[in-house]
Amino acid sequence: QLQLQESGSGLVKPSQTLSLTCAVSGGSISSGGYSWSWIRQPPGKGLEWIGYIYHSGSTYYNPSLKSRVTISVDRSKNQFSLKLSSVTAADTAVYYCARMVATPPRSRFDYWGQGTLVTVSS
Amino acid sequence: DIQMTQSPSSLSASVGDRVTITCQASQDISNYLNWYQQKPGKAPKLLIYDASNLETGVPSRFSGSGSGTDFTFTISSLQPEDIATYYCQQYDNLLWITFGQGTRLEIK
């Protein structure tokens, strides 16, 4: 059974960089046909897709966040990471990592991590 | 970007009721639509993919239909464990994935 687990700093100061890692177990992050994604949810609000990285290493980001987002993969550790720069209070959210079935044009988020709350505050 | 309009935003129904949620896309997205269930404090769970396909292990009382711009999610007989918020999600353009605003479902 595939499992994803987020980790990283739960408190980030304004203007700094948010960094999170998602450890994948029960399957290889290098498997074809999947991409690895980040999605966030501000407290009491809906879901916002941040971006994803294909098994090939290609990345795709939400245009509204693109200038501040970097998603990368560490295949040796079977994990992928999110960096979001120049954060403000509006970036306070629960951050989820998820596996996306990616057989274009078909796509769906079929496995999710439990989520981790990141608060932006001085 | 493609906007998803989900309705209603909240819904109260009785156990055994048939429940319907709709999602409307701002442009034709074929059947590139998924539905998720999110219980409080938990991650979303995939229920329906490609508009009408039931994810493995999901009870058959859940179903989805539609194509183009109008989609429907149905619970045929509401159970107490179905209390959650439900989201639609479009992926017509894999360069900009968007979710509906969510429908909070409560027991009457």
Side-chain angles (χ1 to χ4, degrees):
Chain A
Q1 177 79 350
L2 191 76
Q3 292 187 321
L4 294 85
Q5 178 68 58
E6 304 91 348
S7 62
S9 176
L11 180 63
V12 183
K13 289 182 168 52
S15 79
Q16 293 191 343
T17 297
L18 176 161
S19 295
L20 296 174
T21 296
C22 181
V24 178
S25 58
S28 173
I29 204 167
S30 298
S31 297
Y34 302 107
S35 65
W36 304 92
S37 311
W38 290 96
I39 296 154
R40 69 180 182 179
Q41 185 172 37
K45 296 187 178 181
L47 299 162
E48 180 181 35
W49 168 68
I50 298 171
Y52 60 84
I53 185 165
Y54 270 114
H55 62 89
S56 63
S58 300
T59 52
Y60 298 87
Y61 303 132
N62 186 322
S64 68
L65 299 169
K66 186 176 183 178
S67 63
R68 299 193 291 130
V69 174
T70 302
I71 297 175
S72 59
V73 165
D74 185 336
R75 300 183 193 286
S76 67
K77 295 182 179 179
N78 214 40
Q79 64 186 33
F80 61 107
S81 299
L82 168 71
K83 291 189 185 298
L84 181 66
S85 63
S86 304
V87 298
T88 69
D91 295 310
T92 293
V94 174
Y95 285 76
Y96 295 101
C97 59
R99 186 180 81 167
M100 186 172 96
V101 176
T103 51
R106 302 297 172 187
S107 166
R108 56 191 183 269
F109 299 108
D110 64 344
Y111 284 93
W112 296 65
Q114 64 186 24
T116 187
L117 175 63
V118 178
T119 301
V120 178
S121 175
S122 55
Chain B
D1 62 319
I2 298 173
Q3 302 297 321
M4 304 303 295
T5 303
Q6 193 173 332
S7 62
S9 56
S10 65
L11 174 59
S12 181
S14 300
V15 173
D17 281 355
R18 183 181 183 86
V19 170
T20 298
I21 298 169
T22 64
C23 198
Q24 185 172 59
S26 58
Q27 63 190 67
D28 190 335
I29 58 169
S30 184
N31 65 338
Y32 300 152
L33 186 104
N34 304 320
W35 290 95
Y36 299 85
Q37 175 193 66
Q38 186 178 33
K39 296 185 178 181
K42 300 294 186 181
K45 174 186 176 183
L46 176 66
L47 299 181
I48 302 289
Y49 64 94
D50 300 347
S52 60
N53 293 308
L54 193 68
E55 175 71 345
T56 302
V58 173
S60 60
R61 64 180 181 274
F62 297 100
S63 65
S65 64
S67 65
T69 60
D70 296 304
F71 301 87
T72 300
F73 172 82
T74 301
I75 306 174
S76 60
S77 178
L78 184 65
Q79 300 302 303
E81 60 267 31
D82 299 336
I83 299 313
T85 299
Y86 293 84
Y87 293 93
C88 62
Q89 172 244 319
Q90 70 80 23
Y91 62 89
D92 174 65
N93 181 346
L94 289 178
L95 300 180
W96 202 329
I97 294 168
T98 52
F99 291 86
Q101 309 97 306
T103 295
R104 178 178 289 184
L105 177 56
E106 300 175 338
I107 291 286
K108 191 180 293 183

